[in-house]
Amino acid sequence: MPLYLSPRIGPTLQSALDETALMAQLSDALGSPLGVILPQQVADNVAAFRSIFSAHRLAGQIYYAHKANRSSALVRELAATDAGIDVASLAELQHALGAGFGPQRIMATGPKNEEFLWLCAVTGVTVSADSVGELAALATLVTNWSLPRVRVMARLSGFSSTGVRFTSRRSRFGMSAAAVSEVLDLIEKHAGALDLVGMAFHLDTIGLPEKAVALEGCLGALDECRRRGLRPWSVDIGGGFGVDYLADGTQWERYTTALTEAVLGRRAPLTWAGHGYGLRAEGGHVRGALNLYPAHRPVSGPAYLDRLLRTTAPEQRRPLGTLLLDNMYDLHVEPGRALLDQCGLVLTRVLEVRDEANGDTIVRLDCNARDVSLEEHGVLMDPVVVHRTTTAAAGPVGVYLFGNLCLEADLITRRKVFLPSRPRTGDLLAFVNTAGYLMDFSATQALRQPIGRKVALYRDGGAWRWCLDEQYWPVHRRVEAA
Amino acid sequence: MRFENMTDAIGNTPLVRIDAAVHGLRNIDLYAKMELLNPFGSLKDRAAWNMARPLLAQAVERGDTVVELSSGNTAKALAVIAGMHGLTFKSVTNRMKVTEIKDLLLLLGAEIDELPGQAECLDPSDTDDPLTRMYHRLAESDGGYLHTDQYFNELNVDAHLNGTGPEIVKDLDGRAPDYFIACVGTAGSSTGVAAALRQHNPEVRVVGLVAHKSDFIPGIRTIDEVHEVGLFDPDVYDEVETITADDAIDGLLTLVRRCGTLAGPTGGGAYQGAVRHLRAIDAQLTERRTAVFIVCDRVESYMSYLRERRPELFGRPPRRNSLRTVTDAEVRQAAVVDVAEAERWIAERRGLVVDLRSPFAYQALHIDGSVNIVDEIFAELLHGGLPFGRRQPVLLVCPVGEKSARYAALLTRMGHPDVRSLDGGIIAWRDAGAELVRD
Ligand SMILES: Cc1ncc(COP(=O)(O)O)c(C=O)c1O
Ligand SMILES: Cc1ncc(COP(=O)(O)O)c(C=O)c1O
């Protein structure tokens, strides 16, 4: 039985995929790989997050984590919604400003150099500060350049809990929640330069209990602010809401069980060179941990936010959403991956299909593992075969997907991928739902191979239309019928 | 029976027949090994004591902390044993999912360390399973730990090889049963009992039960996880079958309601798995056979688990004056006042201002002169009747004016003639620039 991991495909994405002639034309004209962005979908995703805010009666901002995709179309489309944007570099900030985001809708996060800080301060965007040093540097900048007060958030980490001790992975980022008074001392000292508007965290975990501890930790820090007479009104809980990549949870369960068996040698390998995705066999037992994104995540995106807000705060014993509201705090979120759910795909061209002597079938694609970074991000999800002509030999086939770099390691994914029908040279493989981190996050020009172009595909007047990503603006120029 | 120590009461549990009228098997005598009658509440008392006993004298001398990767019965037993010897116990867990057990551990003075959840972004440096992580931690510390290592410790198996198994044979008049069915956690009990039984009769059929992959049954492993267990050897079992949480609860209900056996979910799962497995065999049999399954622990620790999965079992009559019964039409008719009017009402000291928000939020900032009755407690009070007189005018305040309007409607229905809600709540109050104080 083929071990499929079929992607979850929403109606919009499906309707784009159904345009096979258009897909083939685009690929022929613009090359492989080709990133296809569906900018309009992102507005629906913003609305889905917004509806959770409304259900909890919470105000606050949805900041798109720009790092998830370099696309201009997405950022410009978002500028036309009520969302904000989270920028993590100088260039992302410039991009956001140029796309139409006003400074009150921009949050600057991550490690920052002086130029980045300066542009934040001059334009008046909110700075989510990672360290006391960053706050001090910002205050100096503001003072030296006689700039208006800059709105700042203090990003905290290392939250502690009582009773059960929840250990969190150590983070490179954020200031110690235990030392919040030091942070506030500095902010009070530079009251003319820094305007504290809230507390922030971003935890790289899917675990709700850790986030609950962190959120309650922020409430504690804000309490300290109020004691001192400061009046910040918001909590930013970062991103990490997740995406449910797979259509069918039982496929995921079947696959991971089979992988365990393969690692133990109880069935034929499912991966190139017996790779175990973090699992290994030791004396007949499985060791290690499955180092994969949990591709089947029924509670993800807006539903995950909802679940978090319904979670009871460990100390105050009230749902976190209710506590935020009780305290009149705005809630900010910074979803990247979750906001780009169903927002794009990567089209790749099949260069060769061959059967090896050992029985393996190889499909060589005109792209590399950096162009569709499923493997790097641990997302196991099948591509969709777009046949040019009628289906070749019917029936499923298990194949290895090779990339176009002359590197032994350049497999698009190290697992054997089961396709419902055998592709032929010239056919396309569409890696769907890859807009968040899986499209261009780590694309490089190694070997002078080009980085894939991007197009925006949008509905206008009942039809699909497209343009280069950098040409897309939410005001569509109607193409008059000939 | 007179003992010097509670640990002397471990083991020698009864083997009790399950009434054929309940299980419906015609040719099989089905017995339950009542491990729930161990002094600290479970089968794991045996393993905990057997693993800890030889190391205790030294640990007491050095003042070591007893440590184990467990979120359940082993932790409970070790916490008690550690306490009896003046030692601390630390439980390291992946996720402490059963609140009653967590609370009991804290009550026993245990420390609970939760390991971090899975990373949202893939971190290639994060390759360790919980057990390996714990080994690393123990290795990093400079000693001071008594680690019982239940997933790898042969003494876990020995406790059952020398205790549980022979007891079953003795109670069956020196014969091993034909079938033995047990849930697999560390595999200690099933492995030890199977070996003891096979010494008497190599033909004993052994069935191991694991949880269905997407299910959580506290105390046992899923079909994938079981391969991580050091003591697990697939050759011990003639069959490894899965049970669902629903099976476990169905079986639990049969045992608690009909068999006088206050079994927890794995006891129920073992019963259900046993009957399911044996039913097919029973139909073919022409002579009598004997089967034994294990009831590992007691039901009381799993109330929240059961309530979450089968709320209908806990159906209670609706309480009077419940907020849920307030209709939208009633809410629309409730009296509301806007911020300006409320400011006047308060300045003229016309009545009582009740702030329904959490105590922390109230203490941080509130309307001067208001009293704080958090909504949960207010709801509780209203079940009993009006908490203030009818001639006492009241203004209710909540975050956005929704909850307060519902309560105003409820109070009106309860016969209070003079109650109103702050429109837009305290957020509108703040946004209008009205005064907020802290004491
Ligand atoms: C500070 C911050 N906010 C938001 C995000 C977005 O996370 P996600 O795409 O998982 O929602 C990240 C991701 O690294 C981050 O570091
Ligand atoms: C409730 C419960 N049932 C069954 C078992 C399984 O016992 P063993 O660990 O000996 O396999 C355990 C073990 O932790 C348990 O806690």
Side-chain angles (χ1 to χ4, degrees), chain B residues 43-44 73-74 160 183-189 218-220 266 296-297 302:
Chain B
L43 166 91
K44 305 299 294 196
N73 287 314
T74 308
H160 305 285
C183 291
V184 183
T186 64
S189 55
I220 63 175
T266 61
C296 174
D297 69 354
Y302 301 99

Side-chain angles (χ1 to χ4, degrees), chain B residues 344-388:
Chain B
R344 246 176 287 125
W345 195 88
I346 292 166
E348 292 164 12
R349 301 185 178 282
R350 304 239 293 262
L352 184 64
V353 184
V354 179
D355 186 330
L356 299 167
R357 298 174 304 139
S358 80
F360 289 87
Y362 170 84
Q363 281 152 33
L365 284 175
H366 56 256
I367 296 173
D368 200 14
S370 59
V371 299
N372 178 217
I373 310 177
V374 61
D375 53 9
E376 295 156 25
I377 292 175
F378 198 58
E380 205 49 47
L381 287 174
L382 296 195
H383 290 312
L386 286 176
F388 26 66

Side-chain angles (χ1 to χ4, degrees), chain A residues 57 167 210 253 256 326, chain B residues 114 117-118 213 357 375 402:
Chain A
R57 306 293 183 265
T167 324
E210 291 158 60
E253 296 192 351
T256 44
D326 278 349
Chain B
E114 289 258 11
Q118 191 179 350
K213 188 159 172 174
R357 298 174 304 139
D375 53 9
E402 252 180 38

Side-chain angles (χ1 to χ4, degrees), chain B residues 145-166:
Chain B
Y145 287 108
L146 187 177
H147 179 205
T148 39
D149 202 9
Q150 61 165 341
Y151 288 98
F152 285 84
N153 193 336
E154 285 295 334
L155 291 175
N156 176 358
V157 178
D158 287 352
H160 305 285
L161 177 66
N162 302 321
T164 325

Side-chain angles (χ1 to χ4, degrees), chain A residues 116-131:
Chain A
F116 188 15
L117 276 180
W118 182 83
L119 191 59
C120 289
V122 180
T123 52
V125 312
T126 308
V127 175
S128 185
D130 245 342
S131 65

Side-chain angles (χ1 to χ4, degrees), chain A residues 57 163-169 204-206 209-210 223 226-227 231 233 240 242 253 256-257 260 264 266 285-289 291-294 297 316-318 322-323 325-328 337 376-378, chain B residues 95 102 111-124 126-129 131 137 152 213-214 224 227-230 232 234 356-358 360-361 364-365 374-376 399 402-403 426-427 430 438:
Chain A
R57 306 293 183 265
V164 177
R165 186 134 33 104
F166 292 98
T167 324
S168 273
R169 225 169 266 103
D204 181 16
T205 177
I206 69 170
E210 291 158 60
D223 229 33
R226 286 184 169 179
R227 245 190 311 281
R231 287 285 179 272
W233 290 111
E253 296 192 351
T256 44
T257 297
T260 308
L264 285 171
R266 303 223 177 96
H285 294 290
V286 181
R287 292 262 85 62
N291 200 14
L292 286 176
Y293 190 85
R297 269 186 87 173
Q316 298 193 31
R317 317 255 174 97
R318 242 165 119 73
T322 310
L323 284 177
L325 201 56
D326 278 349
N327 283 289
M328 301 170 263
R337 192 193 295 268
E376 187 186 338
H377 290 90
Chain B
R95 275 295 168 249
K102 179 183 82 188
E111 286 174 29
I112 305 178
D113 262 19
E114 289 258 11
L115 295 165
Q118 191 179 350
E120 163 68 33
C121 301
L122 195 67
D123 178 358
D126 179 26
T127 57
D128 285 336
D129 50 294
L131 196 61
R137 282 208 196 179
F152 285 84
K213 188 159 172 174
S214 52
D224 284 1
H227 295 293
E228 298 167 6
V229 175
F232 177 76
L356 299 167
R357 298 174 304 139
S358 80
F360 289 87
L365 284 175
V374 61
D375 53 9
E376 295 156 25
E402 252 180 38
K403 251 184 232 165
I426 198 149
I427 291 182
R430 173 199 66 184
R438 56 181 293 134

